[in-house]
Amino acid sequence: MAGEALKVLMIEFDKQNILKIRDVLSSPSDISYDVSWAQKEENVLSMVDKEDFDVILISYKLLGANGLEILSDLQYKDLKGPVIMMADKGDEEFSTQAMRLGAHDFVIRGKGFEKGLPLVIHNALNAFRAKKERERLQKEIAAKNIELESANRKLKEIDRIKSDFVANVAHEFRTPLTIIKGNTDMVIKGGLGKVTDQQKDMLDGAVKIANRLSRLVNDLLDISKIESGKLKLKKETINMNRIIEENMAAFDKIIKDKKQTLQKELAKDMPDITADMDKITQVFINLLSNAVKYSAEGGSVIVKTTNLEKEIMVEVADTGEGIAPEDIDKVFDKFTRVTAEKKEGTGLGLPIAKDIVVLHKGRMWVKSELGKGSQFFFTLPK
C-alpha cells in the first residue's frame, strides 16, 4: 500500500472536523490522500456514481440528515473501497447497526481521533480488499465447479456410451464364438470324418483361442454390468471353505505339471454367510489362477481362511515374482498388467474380483514384495 495515492470522500458537514481530517491526511507520509467532501447530502450518491473512491468517511450526525441513511443507500453501490463511519461519544450504540449496513469500521471522535485515521483507513482498506479477493475467488471457484460438473456429466455420458458399446460388441461376439467352438469340437470328435493328429493339433489351437475370446467376452460383459450398476447379486447361504475345497481340485493337473505345491489352511470355525455363490467362486478362482500362473516351477501356493469378528477373510499367497512398490496401487486398475512378463489374460480379472467383493460390502487388498511373491486378501461380511 506504500506509495499509493488514495482518493478519499468525506461526508462530513462540520467544518472543524473537515479541517482536522484534511490536515492529518495532508501530512507527509508513504501514502498520499486526495480528499473530496460532499457539501450536501443529495450530492453524495451522485459523487459516488461519477467517481471511484478508495475510502469513504461518513459522519453519523449530519446537518438535517443521518449517516446511517446514506450508508444504507451506499450498500447497494459497487464501491471500490471501504466505508468508515465516524461518530461522537455517546453514539457507540449505533456501531452494530452501522457494521450491519456495510461499514468496515466505526470511529469515535474523541480528542485527537483524527491522528489515528490513517491507521484506521489502512486496516479497513486491507480488510476490504481481502474480502473482495475472497469473493472473487469464490466466484471463480463456483464458475470452475460449474465447468467441472458440466465436464463430469459429459464424461459420464461418454463412459455410458463406451460401456454400452463394449456390452453390445461382447454380445455380438458370443453367438459366433459359440458356433465356432461347437463346430470345431464336432470336427475334433470325428463328426465329419477321421481327423489326423496334425489336424487335431491345429483344431485344438483354434479351440484354445476361442476359449480365450470367450473369457474376454465374459470379462467385458461383467465390467459393463458392474459399471452400469446392472450386475445383480443372487445371494444364498454359502460356506467359503466348501467353495475352496470344491474348486481347488480343478488346479491339480497344472499344479502337478509345474511341480508346485498347493497348501490349504482353512479355519475350522468358518461360519456360513450370505453371498452370491457363483460370483464369490469367480473371485476365488481368479486369485488362485493368478497365484499358480505367476509362481515359477517348483513354487508354492497357500490358501487360508480366517473367521474374524464381523467378517470372514480369505488369503491366497504365492511365491511368484511379486509386485514392485510403485505398481501396488495399479493392480486393481482395469486393463492394466503390472508385471513385465506377458501372460495370457485381459487385465480385467482382478478389477472384476474387487468390484464383486465391494458389491458384497467386503474389502480386497494386496501385499507383495518384488521377487518374493504376493498375498491377496478379501473379506466378506457375516
Side-chain angles (χ1 to χ4, degrees):
M1 192 179 292
E4 277 193 82
L6 301 179
K7 298 185 71 171
V8 180
L9 174 61
M10 191 171 11
I11 306 169
E12 169 64 82
F13 302 158
D14 185 307
K15 289 185 179 179
Q16 232 178 3
N17 286 333
I18 291 174
L19 290 172
K20 285 180 183 179
I21 295 171
R22 191 177 63 181
D23 287 346
V24 167
L25 298 184
S26 299
S27 300
S29 69
D30 293 338
I31 302 171
S32 61
Y33 298 90
D34 178 9
V35 183
S36 303
W37 60 89
Q39 298 293 331
K40 295 181 181 180
E41 179 189 353
E42 55 267 24
N43 293 343
V44 173
L45 298 181
S46 62
M47 290 179 74
V48 170
D49 287 335
K50 292 176 184 177
E51 202 167 352
D52 286 333
F53 292 97
D54 295 297
V55 181
I56 298 176
L57 303 173
I58 302 179
S59 177
Y60 170 67
K61 285 183 180 177
L62 298 168
L63 189 61
N66 186 320
L68 290 176
E69 294 173 1
I70 298 176
L71 184 59
S72 180
D73 291 332
L74 287 176
Q75 70 178 323
Y76 299 106
K77 301 287 185 180
D78 185 18
L79 300 179
K80 183 183 177 183
V83 178
I84 299 169
M85 178 154 278
M86 303 177 295
D88 297 324
K89 287 184 178 180
D91 294 328
E92 293 92 342
E93 60 185 296
F94 299 104
S95 61
T96 302
Q97 188 177 355
M99 303 298 273
R100 192 165 57 245
L101 290 172
H104 281 73
D105 207 341
F106 193 89
V107 178
I108 299 300
R109 286 184 296 216
K111 186 177 180 180
F113 80 93
E114 68 278 5
K115 295 177 183 177
L117 271 182
L119 180 59
V120 171
I121 290 172
H122 179 275
N123 291 340
L125 199 52
N126 281 341
F128 180 88
R129 289 173 176 173
K131 180 183 176 185
K132 285 294 183 182
E133 180 63 12
R134 284 197 302 272
E135 290 173 353
R136 185 191 68 79
L137 289 174
Q138 286 169 354
K139 288 179 181 177
E140 192 174 303
I141 290 169
K144 291 294 182 184
N145 282 339
I146 291 172
E147 289 180 21
L148 287 172
E149 287 172 6
S150 176
N152 192 40
R153 284 195 295 271
K154 289 178 182 177
L155 286 173
K156 284 182 177 178
E157 178 62 17
I158 291 170
D159 194 54
R160 183 192 64 78
I161 293 170
K162 179 266 298 178
S163 294
D164 289 347
F165 174 77
V166 169
N168 290 334
V169 170
H171 277 295
E172 290 297 322
F173 268 109
R174 256 187 170 177
T175 300
L177 276 173
T178 301
I179 294 171
I180 290 170
K181 287 170 63 180
N183 289 346
T184 306
D185 284 339
M186 181 180 67
V187 174
I188 290 173
K189 292 174 182 176
L192 296 179
K194 187 178 178 181
V195 178
T196 67
D197 290 341
Q198 187 179 11
Q199 290 170 332
K200 185 176 182 304
D201 287 342
M202 294 184 68
L203 290 170
D204 285 341
V207 170
K208 185 178 180 181
I209 292 171
N211 286 334
R212 282 182 60 190
L213 287 174
S214 292
R215 288 194 296 273
L216 172 60
V217 166
N218 290 332
D219 284 349
L220 289 174
L221 286 173
D222 279 343
I223 283 290
S224 177
K225 287 178 182 178
I226 290 169
E227 289 183 343
S228 63
K230 294 178 181 177
L231 183 65
K232 304 299 180 186
L233 300 178
K234 299 176 182 177
K235 291 191 174 183
E236 57 184 300
T237 300
I238 69 166
N239 186 280
M240 198 66 230
N241 283 359
R242 193 154 47 245
I243 288 176
I244 291 170
E245 295 275 13
E246 290 173 356
N247 288 279
M248 282 180 71
F251 291 84
D252 285 347
K253 185 178 185 304
I254 187 171
I255 290 286
K256 185 178 180 181
D257 290 345
K258 295 185 74 174
K259 298 181 175 60
Q260 294 175 342
T261 58
L262 178 57
Q263 305 172 43
K264 58 184 178 182
E265 298 176 14
L266 307 183
K268 295 181 180 179
D269 58 345
M270 182 59 62
D272 289 344
I273 61 170
T274 301
D276 186 316
M277 179 178 288
D278 290 340
K279 294 302 177 188
I280 296 304
T281 300
Q282 180 181 344
V283 171
F284 172 69
I285 289 176
N286 177 271
L287 294 184
L288 185 54
S289 175
N290 283 347
V292 172
K293 183 194 302 182
Y294 289 105
S295 289
E297 186 171 321
S300 62
V301 177
I302 302 174
V303 177
K304 298 179 183 179
T305 59
T306 308
N307 181 19
L308 303 175
E309 184 179 352
K310 294 182 179 180
E311 54 192 0
I312 65 165
M313 183 173 72
V314 179
E315 174 189 348
V316 179
D318 63 63
T319 55
E321 58 201 76
I323 304 165
E326 64 270 18
D327 291 329
I328 287 286
D329 292 337
K330 303 175 187 175
V331 166
F332 299 106
D333 291 346
K334 298 177 181 66
F335 301 104
T336 299
R337 191 184 306 286
V338 299
T339 176
E341 182 183 350
K342 291 185 177 180
K343 299 283 186 181
E344 181 184 313
T346 62
L348 292 173
L350 285 174
I352 290 172
K354 184 171 183 178
D355 284 341
I356 289 172
V357 170
V358 171
L359 280 173
H360 281 82
K361 302 189 185 307
R363 300 172 292 131
M364 179 176 281
W365 68 97
V366 59
K367 293 180 181 178
S368 186
E369 190 174 346
L370 201 58
K372 293 187 177 180
S374 303
Q375 298 164 277
F376 281 85
F377 303 84
F378 71 90
T379 65
L380 296 170
K382 292 183 181 178

